[in-house]
Structure formats: structure tokens, C-alpha cells
Amino acid sequence: MTELNATHSGTFRIAGEIEINRLGYGAMRITGPGIWGEPQDRSEVLRTLRRLPEVGINFIDTADSYGPGVSERLIREALAPYPGILVATKAGLTRGGPDQWTPRGDPEYLVAQAHKSLEALGVEQIGLWQLHRIDPRVPAPEQFGAVKSLLDSGAIRHAGLSEVTVADIEAASKFFSVATVQNQYNLVDRKSEGVLDYCQKNGIGFIPWFPLAAGALAQPNSVLAAIAKEHNAATSQIALAWMLRRSHVMLPIPGTSKVKHLEENVAARDIVLSDQEFAVLDRAGRSA
């Protein structure tokens, strides 16, 4: 049996400095239903988190709003003091209940939440902190200024953005160096194609959330299913293999609360798509 090892995904340096393996882990779904409260199987969640370094995953993405507060706390319990692991977190969304998300970007709140994350994770500095959303009710320069203040104070080392346009990245770049961008992107959701191209050109890490979605392409008679059969793999594994090949700045973070699914995701890195398979999937995804 091939040893599971996310190092096969290649590496990327966040802001040209912090080297991580490109296949990461999203810690949103280690909470309860609706990304709210405690997980239904806490012991399995902790087993999954502790399995991460064993399979070579050294980049974890979380947020203060996951739970809220639950994801960060579980990560600390399982993995602190994080030897060789970058735990990135975010702030800028508040929670009113399960599946409820509201942007909040007043500077005082963002700074306070970053300091709460420092405490929740048990670290003196957050290696990568991301603005979860740009709040349309607060002038963007004020929010970017808050991020700069966190960098200047040393509370965070590098900063990123989430769900933004190229214009947003360029506006934020007047205040701080944008290390990463986290937008929804997958084989069939290509709205952020232009943002990905911008990130690739400028050496910005691109973190796609919801990376394994394949929509209609996951159906039994689809081209994705046919290619998966050829590789004796799940359609989700083929979708992930396609993502990793799409760009050298791509940092997929498939999330799960189960060890079995984690291992399936890591195994996807050993799938080698031919040029033809990659091109066929690319065309199918764009037209889906």
C-alpha cells in the first residue's frame, strides 16, 4: 500500500516565507451541524486532527466563526504547540445561529477577534490571518487599516483576504501585502478564474473553499466518473487531483471530520492525470 503523504502535492511559500505542503485541511466541518456548536463525534474529530501531521498536512485553515470558537479550540487541543504546522484563521463574519453568517468589519471588532484567536489557539502570533469578508457597511480602507495594525503590532505575521475581486486585492495591497486569497472555486465553479490568474501572476496563494464540488459532473455517466473509474478512484479524488494541477499557487483545503475521508483526500495527490484527461475535465467544468 502506498504511504499517504501530502508532501507529494508539492510546496508553496506563503508570502515567500512560510513553506507549506500545497494540500491543506479545512477545519470548518469539525463543528456541529450548520457549523454551529460542538461536533457530533468529538473523539473522531480529534483523531482526524491528530492524523494530519502523520499524513504530511501542515497547513490548516479555520476561523473564529466556526462554531463559533469551537474549531480553533479543538485544533489547539489536538495539535498545540503545532510543530511545523501553519494554522491560519479568519475574522469578519458573525454568527446568529446554524448556517447564519453576517459580515462585520468595524476595525475594533476585527482587532479584538484576532486577539481572541491568539488566545483560543494558544499562540503568541498568528502566522496567517485572513479577513473573512469585506463588510459592505464599513469603508473598506478602515477594514484594511485594521489588518495593517495587526501586522504592525505583531499579532499576525501575514494577512490574506476571502471572497474578493482583483480590484479588492489591489485596494488592500495599498495597505498591506496580500499573502493569500480564499475564494470559492472548484472544477465546476469557475467564477474566480480571473482572481486565480491574478494570484498566479503575483505569487499570491489561492485557497479554494468548497474544492471538491463537482455538481452534475459527479453523476455516474459523466466524464468525471469515467476518468475516476480509469484511475480506480472516487470522483472527489479526481476533482482534487485536477485542482492541484490547475495552478502552482493553488492550496486546496478539503475538510472532513473523519479519518477515512481525510486519507482519501490525501491519496488523491498520487493520482496523475494525463494532459488529455486534464483538458477534458477543464472543458467539462467550464461548460457545466
Side-chain angles (χ1 to χ4, degrees):
M1 180 177 178
T2 303
E3 181 185 1
L4 293 171
N5 195 335
T7 61
H8 296 169
S9 63
T11 62
F12 179 81
R13 289 184 180 271
I14 301 289
E17 181 186 19
I18 305 177
E19 188 172 50
I20 59 169
N21 295 325
R22 287 178 54 218
L23 180 59
Y25 175 79
M28 181 172 74
R29 300 199 177 278
I30 62 173
T31 64
I35 324 302
W36 186 262
E38 295 290 332
Q40 294 178 325
D41 190 341
R42 193 172 188 278
S43 61
E44 178 67 5
V45 163
L46 291 173
R47 280 194 295 271
T48 302
L49 289 169
R50 289 171 180 145
R51 185 76 172 114
L52 296 177
E54 296 174 351
V55 297
I57 289 180
N58 59 6
F59 175 52
I60 300 172
D61 176 85
T62 186
D64 64 346
S65 55
Y66 297 165
V70 175
S71 179
E72 290 178 328
R73 180 162 39 81
L74 288 169
I75 291 169
R76 178 179 183 177
E77 180 178 344
L79 294 170
Y82 320 108
I85 298 174
L86 172 62
V87 180
T89 192
K90 304 182 287 293
L93 287 176
T94 60
R95 307 296 306 283
D99 292 319
Q100 296 179 26
W101 309 81
T102 303
R104 181 174 175 184
D106 48 290
E108 297 80 6
Y109 175 78
L110 294 176
V111 171
Q113 290 303 111
H115 283 274
K116 284 185 178 180
S117 289
L118 283 169
E119 183 177 353
L121 291 169
V123 296
E124 295 183 359
Q125 185 183 62
I126 295 168
L128 174 63
W129 184 92
Q130 300 164 100
L131 181 60
H132 211 159
R133 290 293 185 278
I134 297 175
D135 185 348
R137 300 169 301 176
V138 178
E142 294 184 12
Q143 298 173 71
F144 300 151
V147 179
K148 184 178 186 301
S149 73
L150 288 167
L151 289 162
D152 291 344
S153 71
I156 66 176
R157 187 169 175 178
H158 299 294
L161 303 168
S162 180
E163 280 306 301
V164 291
T165 64
V166 169
D168 293 328
I169 301 170
E170 291 178 337
S173 296
K174 296 177 182 178
F175 292 81
F176 60 90
S177 178
V178 177
T180 56
V181 168
Q182 185 168 352
N183 280 17
Q184 184 170 344
Y185 183 92
N186 51 58
L187 183 58
V188 295
D189 187 340
R190 313 289 279 281
K191 293 188 297 294
S192 288
E193 202 78 55
V195 174
L196 171 58
D197 290 341
Y198 180 90
C199 289
Q200 181 168 306
K201 181 180 178 181
N202 292 278
I204 297 171
F206 185 87
I207 306 169
W209 62 271
F210 210 19
L212 302 187
L217 287 187
Q219 297 301 315
N221 60 345
S222 70
V223 64
L224 175 59
I227 292 174
K229 185 176 180 181
E230 285 293 318
H231 287 269
N232 193 28
T235 54
S236 60
Q237 290 177 305
I238 298 300
L240 183 54
W242 180 88
M243 293 276 286
L244 284 165
R245 180 168 169 173
R246 170 62 182 83
S247 170
H248 69 275
V249 304
M250 186 83 76
L251 310 174
I253 49 167
T256 178
S257 60
K258 298 184 183 302
V259 171
K260 177 183 177 181
H261 294 156
L262 169 66
E263 293 176 346
E264 288 177 355
N265 292 338
V266 175
R269 184 54 196 104
D270 293 321
I271 297 171
V272 180
L273 298 175
S274 69
D275 292 345
Q276 181 180 4
E277 288 172 331
F278 178 83
V280 166
L281 287 169
D282 186 62
R283 288 194 298 270
R286 290 177 185 274
S287 61

